[in-house]
Amino acid sequence: MAENEDGQEKTEQPSEKRLREAREQGNVARSRELSTVAVFGACVAALLALGGGLSARALDWMRQALSPDRALLDAPHLLLGHMGGLMLGFAWILAPLLLVALLACFVAPALMGGFNVSSKGLVPDLKRLDPLAGLKRIYGPEGLAELLKSLLRVALVGAAAALCLWPRLPALRAMLQQPLEHAARDGLRFALWVLMATAAALALLALLDAPYQKWNWRRKLKMTRQELREELKESEGRPEVKGRIRQLQMQMSQRRMMEAVPTADAIVVNPTHYAVALRYDGGRMRAPRVVAKGVDEVALRIREIGQAHRVALVSAPPLARVLYREAEIGQEIPVKLYAAVAQVLSYVYQLRAWRPGTPPPALDAIEIDEGDAGGAR
């Protein structure tokens, strides 16, 4: 069972976040055996398809290389250019094979989960130079798996070569008596058979190695339950962070609410425990709206700000309690409270118009049923 540095067993499958981070760091499942057989097999297939044309071109090139121009003997300074031309011609002959091998390099990554380009994989990692980690890799489970894979590779390739060689030993001996051209043709045909058998053996090894490498890659990325819990906390948000965010949101909401108190027309109070600030603009509002409300310390702060900005404080305990319960900040008051609030606003407007020397206005008793105020808005 895999363990992390703290000795905890990694029993949980890697999360999508863990898999995504591994790919971003260039850590993806790869099979060297699959890459080898993809390139080797593609080249063998190209030789089978293009063998006739390649052999004819190679024969022409060999005749040209072995039949130099006698004029070169009198001009040694041309030998270097002649050699360069021969090498260029040989490279041109091999160009189709090289192109096939290059394209085959993309087959294995596509079969193992797609292409992955990551600059983080190019950053030097000093941990890879740790000799203890290197010894652990060599003599650990991964080293044993690589040893078994190497032995299996030798056995499969050796068996494939033996199966090709044994039945054709008489033909190989007979090639010694054949003309050079016939012997070369038969020898190339025999070499192709050996290459095909070798490719088949490597393909069998790749079929075993690719699933193992993918399983081993996911096994290394497994997580402990603690790591899974920590990741879940990070994705959903740590409780202390979420609590702090809620606290800041409440503070910002209260700050905006207190800034709106000076714009209120009246503050209905309990008079000590509740405070609800109301504002009404007949030209733009259908009904009065609550701009601030609170209890205890918040209510006290609302009253203080209201008094500082000369906002009328109206003591109506039942109405203050119902407004606090049923009305929301920034919304219109419930319909069933229209009459009671209109009575308060009428009293406030009378206070604004009152002049010293005249009888002050009086607020009539506000009749309201606290248990039946939550009707339609």
Side-chain angles (χ1 to χ4, degrees), residues 321-333:
R321 290 192 293 267
V322 173
L323 282 171
Y324 180 82
R325 288 199 311 264
E326 304 296 339
E328 298 296 334
I329 297 176
Q331 296 183 3
E332 296 177 354
I333 63 174

Side-chain angles (χ1 to χ4, degrees), residues 340-369:
V341 172
Q343 188 176 346
V344 170
L345 293 177
S346 175
Y347 169 70
V348 170
Y349 296 152
Q350 292 177 26
L351 282 178
R352 292 178 180 175
W354 175 73
R355 294 291 181 269
T358 61
L363 177 64
D364 297 333
I366 299 177
E367 299 293 336
I368 184 171
D369 185 356

Side-chain angles (χ1 to χ4, degrees), residues 77-121:
H77 62 279
L78 299 177
L79 287 175
L80 185 60
H82 178 70
M83 181 63 68
L86 289 176
M87 297 303 297
L88 185 62
F90 185 72
W92 182 250
I93 295 173
L94 295 180
L97 285 179
L98 296 176
L99 180 60
V100 169
L102 179 61
L103 295 177
C105 292
F106 299 97
V107 174
L111 294 177
M112 289 295 290
F115 302 100
N116 185 75
V117 180
S118 174
S119 58
K120 295 182 180 179

Side-chain angles (χ1 to χ4, degrees), residues 244-308:
R244 179 58 178 166
I245 292 175
R246 284 195 298 268
Q247 182 182 3
L248 292 175
Q249 290 175 341
M250 291 178 61
Q251 291 177 356
M252 293 175 62
S253 176
Q254 288 188 4
R255 188 181 305 115
R256 289 193 298 268
M257 184 178 67
M258 296 302 177
E259 291 173 354
V261 170
T263 66
D265 294 306
I267 299 177
V268 183
V269 297
N270 191 29
T272 56
H273 296 293
Y274 292 85
V276 180
L278 301 173
R279 182 171 183 268
Y280 179 62
D281 185 349
R284 293 184 297 176
M285 296 180 185
R286 187 181 61 178
R289 292 182 181 179
V290 175
V291 296
K293 68 176 184 177
V295 295
D296 298 332
E297 293 183 2
V298 177
L300 176 61
R301 181 62 179 157
I302 291 174
R303 290 196 299 270
E304 290 176 351
I305 295 176
Q307 290 174 346

Side-chain angles (χ1 to χ4, degrees), residues 118-133:
S118 174
S119 58
K120 295 182 180 179
L122 302 176
V123 179
D125 188 0
L126 297 179
K127 293 182 180 179
R128 297 178 180 177
L129 302 178
D130 186 0
L132 294 178

